[in-house]
Each structure stands twice: as C-alpha cells, then as structure tokens.
Amino acid sequence: MKNLEQIHRVKRGGHLSDHSWEKVSEILDAHFVGYLSSEREGIPVVLPTAYGRIGKKIYIHGAIKNGMINGILEKGIASMTVSILDGLVLARSAYHHSLNYRSVVVTGKVEVISDPEEKVIALKAISDQMLKGRWEEVREPSENELKATFILAFEAEYFVSKSRAGMPSDEKEDYELPIWAGVLPISESYQHAITDEGVESPIPKSVQHMELKNCR
Amino acid sequence: MKNLEQIHRVKRGGHLSDHSWEKVSEILDAHFVGYLSSEREGIPVVLPTAYGRIGKKIYIHGAIKNGMINGILEKGIASMTVSILDGLVLARSAYHHSLNYRSVVVTGKVEVISDPEEKVIALKAISDQMLKGRWEEVREPSENELKATFILAFEAEYFVSKSRAGMPSDEKEDYELPIWAGVLPISESYQHAITDEGVESPIPKSVQHMELKNCR
C-alpha cells in the first residue's frame, strides 16, 4: 500500500509549508497551468497542462489518450504541481539568494470522465479557470468535439503548499556589507488584447476585465 | 537500453515542435525556473527548481541531497521542462481555445559536481540565469556554504521545443459567428524593486536593468 501522505511531507523548509486546503485552494485558483509527470522509457517527464477545479476535484483534458494521459492512467494516481513566481530575493551573499513563490502539490486517485454531461462541466471548469466568463461568450462543444476530448479527473486527497514571501535572510555579519539587497517582484501580467482579423464584435467583458492586470 | 530519443518525440502537434538546439537554447535562456520530477512512493512528483546553463550543460542545485535530487540520482538521468506562457488563445468555439507558449524538454545523464571550482562556476551560471550581473555585486560563497550546496549537472543530450504563437484556429463555419476572438498576451513582468530595511547602497545596475521589464 502506497503511503501517499509521504509525498506531501515537506522535507526542507517545513516552516514555509501549509497543509490547509484553504491555502492550497487559494494557490490553485491563482493560476490555470499545472505540471504533471509521467514515465517515458522509465524516466519521469514533465508536461504543463491547463486545469480546472470544482471543490477538491481537479480536471485536466487532452486529445484522446496522449502519452502523458496514458502514463497517468497506468499509475492510477496523478500528482500535479502548480507554482507561481512572485519575485527574486536578492541577498547580500550569493548563497542566500532565493525566490518568492507560492506552490502546491496535489495528489489523488485518477478517474476517467466519460459521461457527456460531466465532460461539459469539466470543460467549463477548465475554461473558467483560464478566463472566467469566457465559456458563456463562445460556441459550446459539439457532440463530436466532446467525443474527441479525453477528460481525466483526480481528487485532491493529499495536498500541501509551500510559499516564500518577503526579504532575504542574510548571515548576521553580512548586514554590515555595503551591498544592495531587496526583492524584485515579478508577476504574470496581461497586456492589451489583440483582436483576430475580420472580427467585428467588441472586446468582451471577460477579456476587458483581465487586460493590463498586474501591470503597474 | 533506454531509448531516450523516444522521450522527445512529439506525438501531438508535431508541427509546433523544433529539435534544433538553437531554438531550445533560446527558450532555456528566456527563463531560469525548470520543472523536474522524481518518484516518491512510486508516483512521479514534480518540483520547480532554478537552473543555469553553460553550453549544453544544465546545472541545478539544492541543499545536500534533498528528496528530489536523490530521486534523480537514483535514475541517473534527468529530464527538465521549461515552459513560458505567452498568452490566452481565445477562439470562437470553446473547443479551439488554447495557449500561446514556448516550452522545452531536455534530458541527459546526470553528474554530481564535487570539484569546488566547478561548483562556483555552476552557482555563477545559476545566478546569471536568474539575474545577469548580480554575482559580481554580492559576497561569493564561503567554503562552508559551498560544502553545504549539492550541485547536479546533466548534459542536454536529447531535447525538443514545442511552441505555439498567433491567433486561434477555428472551424471554418465558426468564423461567421458574431463572437470576439483573439489573443490576450501574458508575460512575466518585473515591477519596482523593494529595498531591504537598512540598506544604504543604491539599486545596482543588474536590478535597474530588469525593473519594469515587460510591463507596457
């Protein structure tokens, strides 16, 4: 019997970790791309993928059984990592340079979603995660499109977050050095939308709401 | 004998892939955080890590043998994924929504760097990758700090990039729909640096150079 709890034991920097679902879900909701891994030739290979969530259920999708999805199905358990970079931590010493970030690892048993109604719910969750309100503005999937889409879900049965924020922690004696130290904040920012050729409709609410977000 | 070339065969969206080192190295140099995976309880778990590169040699570091590094050492082969999100691709149909991105997978045999001189070279490469010029501004690692740092390198023996750029590709008939479509560009932007308490030195060149980068 696998001890999946072990996966989520933070071995280093335990003070930076938080096992509460509140914290984990907050970080999950701050992004929409996660990283999963599956074995190819015995080597775990990582691929990014869009996700959505409803409660503790995480949905990912792909074209009918791509390599990644096959590998995850074989294991029967998925582990996904989401990590948001918040800044460079620039210390007085090279050694104490670090990053500010928020990250989670969520793991649980995998399930294939084949019911067409739940498939639509899952796809809407993934769409909402990426851009809230977009689903209602566009053409919904046809029957054939649904058939061509493979959806996998897993419950976040085990989870942990790890985050760092704030200034560098230098060695006591280094604080005397005449070296600049601080944080260089980084955030994913949204620029002006670019309209496709031939489109006459105005930029919709969902997109307007995000334009220039995080740019200050 | 493992066929590592197989790892880098792009099974879907082959037209988006590029096996040239020129393209792969360009994407590697556009970021400094990669994703590696190692097994815990038989499940591949993904963790982000900073990297540096000199030619085809990729360096990562950690505190003395953390779980991730142990797992990679056991396999003897590391595979790292770097992925840069460039935008939301907002199609007329839910089905054709996509992301613009640049990503690479690089894989190769692992080597432990124990020579102190190469350790310093590796740490400088990681520092340069994160913020060019910072290394020269700060206190270099002491002998004890070097001892406490575990450095692992792998040659990018096998590699592939996969990227998407540009407008959505909708079904022909959907172009008639009165639905806005386009791209919402995203980029990691650097804000104003925040100086640590008590620092009297001015913001150095390395940091000034990055402030407000990508915010427009």
Side-chain angles (χ1 to χ4, degrees), chain A residues 7 12 37 39-40 42 46 63 75 81 91-92 94 97 134 139 174 180-181 183 185 187 189 191 194-196 215, chain B residues 7 37 39-40 42 46 63 75 81 91-92 94 97 134 139 174 180-181 183 185 187 189 191 194-196 215:
Chain A
I7 294 180
R12 295 204 47 92
S37 172
E39 284 193 5
R40 282 196 190 185
V46 178
K75 292 271 179 194
T81 297
R92 292 147 186 92
H97 273 63
R134 183 64 181 160
R139 176 177 68 69
D174 287 342
W180 183 88
V183 165
S187 64
S189 63
Q191 271 92 50
I194 305 164
T195 299
D196 197 2
C215 251
Chain B
I7 295 181
S37 172
E39 283 192 5
R40 283 197 191 181
V46 178
K75 292 270 179 196
T81 297
R92 292 147 187 90
H97 273 63
R134 183 63 182 161
R139 177 176 68 68
D174 287 342
W180 183 88
V183 165
S187 64
S189 63
Q191 270 91 50
I194 305 165
T195 299
D196 197 2
C215 250

Side-chain angles (χ1 to χ4, degrees), chain A residues 19-69:
Chain A
H19 281 83
S20 73
W21 177 246
E22 197 189 339
K23 187 73 192 165
V24 169
S25 60
E26 186 188 306
I27 295 171
L28 282 173
D29 286 350
H31 216 277
F32 55 92
V33 175
Y35 290 80
L36 290 102
S37 172
S38 76
E39 284 193 5
R40 282 196 190 185
E41 305 288 322
I43 306 299
V45 177
V46 178
L47 288 181
T49 191
Y51 64 88
R53 84 166 180 99
I54 295 177
K56 282 191 177 165
K57 205 163 188 173
I58 314 280
Y59 294 102
I60 63 171
H61 71 318
I64 286 295
K65 293 213 195 173
N66 61 32
M68 160 70 75
I69 282 178

Side-chain angles (χ1 to χ4, degrees), chain B residues 81-208:
Chain B
T81 297
V82 176
S83 176
I84 301 163
L85 182 61
D86 289 328
L88 307 183
V89 180
L90 303 166
R92 292 147 187 90
S93 61
Y95 186 71
H96 284 292
H97 273 63
S98 185
L99 296 172
N100 281 339
Y101 61 88
R102 288 162 287 156
S103 69
V104 297
V105 178
V106 289
T107 305
K109 270 200 265 347
V110 158
E111 167 193 7
V112 177
I113 307 299
S114 42
D115 171 57
E117 271 180 47
E118 193 175 356
K119 274 183 142 180
V120 171
I121 289 169
L123 289 172
K124 181 177 182 305
I126 296 169
S127 176
D128 283 352
Q129 192 83 26
M130 190 189 289
L131 187 60
K132 190 83 188 161
R134 183 63 182 161
W135 184 266
E136 289 78 7
E137 296 164 357
V138 300
R139 177 176 68 68
E140 288 204 14
S142 69
E143 212 175 302
N144 279 338
E145 287 172 344
L146 272 186
K147 273 186 196 154
T149 307
F150 192 86
I151 297 176
L152 189 150
F154 65 98
E155 283 280 326
E157 295 170 68
Y158 304 93
F159 44 83
V160 65
S161 73
K162 197 173 170 189
S163 311
R164 190 200 187 285
M167 287 294 154
S169 300
D170 270 302
E171 299 298 323
K172 211 175 157 195
E173 60 273 24
D174 287 342
Y175 282 85
E176 306 303 319
L177 295 172
I179 295 174
W180 183 88
V183 165
L184 185 53
I186 300 178
S187 64
E188 256 172 5
S189 63
Y190 290 73
Q191 270 91 50
H192 283 292
I194 305 165
T195 299
D196 197 2
E197 239 178 283
V199 170
E200 287 175 17
S201 315
I203 293 177
K205 269 197 194 156
S206 66
V207 178
Q208 275 181 26

Side-chain angles (χ1 to χ4, degrees), chain A residues 102-113:
Chain A
R102 289 162 287 157
S103 69
V104 296
V105 178
V106 288
T107 305
K109 270 201 260 359
V110 158
E111 167 193 9
V112 176
I113 307 299

